[in-house]
Amino acid sequence: MRWDAQSVTADDGALPGLDRTDLARAGLVRSVRTPEFAGITFHEVLAKSALSKVPAASRMPFGWTVNPYRGCSHACRYCLDPETLVLLADGRQKPIRDVMVGDQIVGTEPDGEGRRYVTTQVLARWPTVRTAYRVVLADGTELVASGEHRFLARGDGWKHVARQRPGGAQRPSLTQGDHLMGCGGRRPRGAATPASARPLEVVGDTVTSWAGLRVVSVENLGFEQEMVDITTGTGDFVANGVISHNCFARPTHEYLDLDAGKDFDSEVVVKTNVDDVLRAELARPSWRREAVALGTNTDPYQRAEGRYRLMPGIITALADSGTPFSILTKGTLLRRDLSLIADAAERVEVGLGVSLAFVDEELQQAVEPGTPTPRARLDLVRAVRDAGLPCGVMVAPVLPWLTDSTDHLRRLLDAVADAGATGVTVVPLHLKPGTREWYLEWLAQDHPHLVAGYERVFTRGTYALKGYREWLWDRVRPLLDERGFGRSGHRSGSGATGRHGELRPHDEGDYPAGSMVEAPARWAGAGVEQVLF
């Protein structure tokens, strides 16, 4: 979901950055604190939509999602001066203040070990007010942005403008001499047009850097000013010739200006009418009954579901409309709805998956505090199988030096097989911009001797080096084969319960376990998401 369509506002500071003057048009009904959920605030909203279309530029292997809860985010203060020029798909540039939802602009996507320029779409935009910093480059380019904004640096990945994060935590930040990635203000060959008019035709080109994009200085200007940010299909855009990360590391969370640590656990947005809205959307003549994935951002069976009971209505609406669906969870509350899901599986194809990355409870609680234990999740798998439903397990994420040993993987897969799982998909850790800092901060506190190794494995940013992924897959593959998990098994149609199935939330070719597609999972508390081999 993109919250610009929800008009969520509040006037008590519970949802930071939102304007009291819009309350009459708001989706917010009330903010609730109850003794049974000590320390948690539920922000109840009336959603205007339930189905969320996955952007075409996304590599996710599903087209639609439903997220009844908003459970985590990062500090959403990634924004730019309104006069910052954004590169459009046709090579023109215009100030970010004039950029509109639906505009075709230039973003980037991974291409082997590097990146290339592609066309992407603006999905959302909004203004805010932040303390201004000025970044000056060697070619004279100036970038005025908030301290939390991130630019892509050569060899270092995404770096914040300012180092100090609110609350005292440190993070990767720009320093003098860094080389930023981008096309700069270059002109096409032979062109002599004014800088304000010159086209920058870069779509399809490889993203590079050059001497003119070297950082000369970073200065706190000492005042707050209006700024603007946008969300794009690729998660980035070109600002004054430099690759700039947009606000949404995971597009659905950061709009609310909540952080990924404490706020993930304590500020939960609840779409109280999501089942009614979903049923209306599924009844439209234009709905083609494409598969819908649940659990792609926040867990639909998190603790809040025990209070609000939104999933029964969602499951019923999907089944009644003939829409296939999949659920990925680490929440044992799924047990409550097993009979309902079994009934749905008689009418539509249903996929169930449990996320489980650990066999050692002590390590699991250190990394995923507040989530069900490995034993509880294995019991959930057994309960799903006893209900006559298939249940795949997503071993996600595999953490270098912590859970990637042959011993740990063998013990975990033995436990999964013993629980009766119908398939397994193994997912190595990857650290998206904005989540990388949170995870590495935890690592430095609990396992400081591993930090240097992680910096080597994730030297190029989000994804582990190809060599590590290949090494891990060579280790995992025989363990999967030995236990009959050569293919994943999350899905079933009309009650089928074969041991082998397929992970994908919709049918797009054959994805054996460990295949090179993306799939959703969550590292609770730090908001880390994962990507398959």
Side-chain angles (χ1 to χ4, degrees):
M1 298 293 298
R2 289 180 293 278
W3 280 97
D4 62 303
Q6 304 308 310
S7 298
V8 181
T9 62
D11 66 345
D12 62 355
L15 297 181
L18 302 178
D19 191 350
R20 178 188 179 112
T21 62
D22 290 332
L23 189 58
R25 296 183 284 112
L28 181 67
V29 177
R30 62 176 183 167
S31 293
V32 180
R33 296 178 177 89
T34 66
E36 61 182 313
F37 291 92
I40 296 178
T41 301
F42 295 113
H43 303 289
E44 299 176 358
V45 303
L46 295 178
K48 295 181 179 179
S49 63
L51 286 167
S52 181
K53 176 67 174 175
V54 177
S58 172
R59 295 165 54 202
M60 290 296 182
F62 46 84
W64 296 90
T65 68
V66 174
N67 293 288
Y69 301 98
R70 183 79 58 213
C72 70
S73 68
H74 303 146
C76 173
R77 297 169 182 166
Y78 311 113
C79 35
L80 294 162
D81 181 273
E83 300 303 316
T84 303
L85 295 177
V86 172
L87 181 58
L88 308 182
D90 63 6
R92 295 181 298 115
Q93 300 181 85
K94 68 177 178 181
I96 195 170
R97 59 174 165 74
D98 296 331
V99 171
M100 304 298 292
V101 172
D103 281 354
Q104 297 294 309
I105 66 172
V106 175
T108 74
E109 66 178 20
D111 183 23
E113 297 296 330
R115 304 183 73 86
R116 65 184 176 91
Y117 294 104
V118 297
T119 297
T120 189
Q121 187 176 28
V122 177
L123 304 177
R125 72 173 300 279
W126 61 94
T128 186
V129 175
R130 293 288 179 251
T131 299
Y133 287 75
R134 179 167 54 213
V135 180
V136 179
L137 306 183
D139 68 349
T141 296
E142 293 189 1
L143 295 151
V144 176
S146 68
E148 292 83 2
H149 200 86
R150 297 191 298 271
F151 295 103
L152 187 60
R154 186 176 68 192
D156 295 319
W158 298 102
K159 301 186 76 171
H160 293 268
V161 170
R163 183 167 180 77
Q164 186 70 29
R165 184 181 178 278
Q170 300 299 308
R171 59 196 178 192
S173 61
L174 296 179
T175 58
Q176 187 175 6
D178 282 342
H179 281 76
L180 302 187
M181 303 293 289
C183 52
R186 72 184 188 188
R187 304 181 185 186
R189 290 188 182 90
T193 53
S196 61
R198 62 192 178 213
L200 298 172
E201 298 176 357
V202 299
V203 172
D205 289 354
T206 298
V207 176
T208 60
S209 183
W210 58 292
L213 299 185
R214 176 175 52 83
V215 174
V216 174
S217 64
V218 179
E219 176 187 6
N220 184 340
L221 296 180
F223 57 81
E224 293 187 341
Q225 69 166 65
E226 180 183 353
M227 295 189 185
V228 179
D229 202 0
I230 59 177
T231 299
T232 74
T234 57
D236 63 4
F237 57 99
V238 181
N240 282 0
V242 175
I243 308 301
S244 169
H245 198 281
N246 64 204
C247 179
F248 292 82
R250 293 179 308 279
T252 60
H253 297 311
E254 292 179 321
Y255 182 81
L256 297 180
D257 206 12
L258 304 174
D259 69 62
K262 178 178 179 293
D263 290 344
F264 174 78
D265 299 322
S266 61
E267 306 283 348
V268 178
V269 177
V270 185
K271 298 180 179 182
T272 57
N273 64 334
V274 65
D275 53 346
D276 292 334
V277 174
L278 176 61
R279 190 173 290 275
E281 292 177 335
L282 296 173
R284 293 172 181 168
S286 59
W287 177 242
R288 299 169 59 185
R289 296 179 176 83
E290 300 175 64
V292 172
L294 295 119
T296 63
N297 271 298
T298 52
D299 196 325
Y301 283 102
Q302 61 180 274
R303 289 181 61 202
E305 176 61 16
R307 172 184 174 89
Y308 289 98
R309 300 181 63 88
L310 300 180
M311 284 299 290
I314 292 172
I315 292 166
T316 302
L318 291 167
D320 288 349
S321 70
T323 298
F325 63 91
S326 63
I327 300 173
L328 176 65
T329 184
K330 56 181 58 151
T332 55
L333 189 57
L334 175 70
R335 283 173 179 260
R336 183 198 65 195
D337 295 338
L338 283 179
S339 61
L340 184 63
I341 296 170
D343 290 341
E346 296 296 327
R347 293 182 282 165
V348 298
E349 187 182 18
V350 173
L352 294 177
V354 173
S355 176
L356 177 60
F358 305 89
V359 71
D360 298 318
E361 184 172 334
E362 183 177 354
L363 179 59
Q364 180 264 335
Q365 286 296 300
V367 178
E368 298 180 338
T371 64
T373 65
R375 180 180 301 178
R377 282 185 243 181
L378 291 167
D379 287 343
L380 174 62
V381 174
R382 293 186 179 94
V384 173
R385 299 295 289 123
D386 289 344
L389 293 164
C391 186
V393 170
M394 184 169 286
V395 176
V398 176
L399 307 178
W401 289 286
L402 292 174
T403 64
D404 62 356
S405 69
T406 300
D407 174 67
H408 181 273
L409 292 168
R410 180 182 292 114
R411 289 186 291 122
L412 177 55
L413 293 174
D414 281 343
V416 167
D418 182 68
T422 51
V424 171
T425 298
V426 179
V427 181
L429 174 70
H430 91 267
L431 302 173
K432 285 189 175 182
T435 62
R436 177 186 180 108
E437 295 87 352
W438 289 102
Y439 179 79
L440 293 182
E441 181 179 339
W442 169 82
L443 191 73
Q445 292 174 354
D446 284 37
H447 302 278
H449 61 291
L450 298 181
V451 172
Y454 271 74
E455 289 175 347
R456 293 194 303 272
V457 170
F458 292 93
T459 186
R460 299 185 183 277
T462 297
Y463 301 103
L465 291 176
K466 183 179 179 181
Y468 175 81
R469 287 179 279 141
E470 291 177 342
W471 170 85
L472 180 59
W473 179 232
D474 288 342
R475 170 169 288 189
V476 166
R477 179 165 48 195
L479 297 177
L480 294 173
D481 290 341
E482 289 168 8
R483 291 154 183 80
F485 292 131
R487 294 166 63 83
S488 296
H490 287 224
R491 301 192 66 78
S492 175
S494 300
T497 58
R499 181 171 179 79
H500 300 300
E502 293 172 336
L503 167 67
R504 61 183 187 271
H506 62 133
D507 294 331
E508 275 192 3
D510 188 13
Y511 299 136
S515 57
M516 293 187 180
V517 296
E518 278 198 343
R522 171 163 304 287
W523 185 84
V528 176
E529 295 175 344
Q530 299 81 28
V531 62
L532 299 184
F533 295 90

